[in-house]
Amino acid sequence: MQREELERLVGIDKVNIFYDIVDTITSLYDMDQIWSDGGKKWTYEYKFRKSGKTLCAFYFRENMLGFMIIFGKDERSKVEEIRNELSSDVLEIYDNAQTFHDGKWLCLI
């Protein structure tokens, strides 16, 4: 995916945020990075995956950047251990995120 295309789609500020987060994740984790179409609701999707599991994904459409983090069983246990250290805003988003059989999917748009 060309950076210029993303900038036209969502704007330079959102693209800069996207690349800052991508740089941080790639410095911490060795994961597959996969571009694909965004399905019915999005133009593009960019995922970080390892061993068939998605850590997080970015979603792009006109003037909008979405970010999803998937908390599996181990990650959910870690969140519970540090709940008292998290802000009320973060806890509200986390607590209201939908829980599926494979984890809690937290999506920010």
Side-chain angles (χ1 to χ4, degrees), residues 72-87:
K73 182 180 178 181
D74 293 341
E75 293 81 17
R76 291 180 68 200
S77 294
K78 291 175 185 176
V79 169
E80 294 304 320
E81 290 174 9
I82 63 166
R83 281 185 73 86
N84 62 341
E85 300 171 32
L86 301 173
S87 72

Side-chain angles (χ1 to χ4, degrees), residues 4 25 27 39 43 51 69 77 88 107:
E4 295 80 16
I25 293 170
S27 73
T43 306
S51 302
I69 303 170
S77 294
S88 59
C107 190

Side-chain angles (χ1 to χ4, degrees), residues 1-16 18-19 35-39 41-46 58-66:
M1 177 59 46
Q2 296 288 329
R3 183 183 181 109
E4 295 80 16
E5 168 65 16
L6 295 177
E7 289 176 2
R8 280 191 297 277
L9 188 63
V10 300
I12 193 166
D13 292 339
K14 290 179 180 122
V15 171
N16 287 339
F18 164 71
Y19 280 110
W35 279 105
S36 62
D37 72 53
K41 295 184 178 182
W42 300 93
T43 306
Y44 302 112
E45 174 188 58
Y46 184 80
F58 293 87
Y59 298 93
F60 299 83
R61 70 177 179 221
E62 189 172 342
N63 298 318
M64 192 172 293
L65 172 63

Side-chain angles (χ1 to χ4, degrees), residues 14-43:
K14 290 179 180 122
V15 171
N16 287 339
I17 291 168
F18 164 71
Y19 280 110
D20 286 346
I21 295 170
V22 166
D23 289 346
T24 299
I25 293 170
T26 56
S27 73
L28 296 171
Y29 301 99
D30 178 24
M31 304 190 87
D32 296 326
Q33 299 171 49
I34 304 163
W35 279 105
S36 62
D37 72 53
K40 293 179 181 178
K41 295 184 178 182
W42 300 93
T43 306

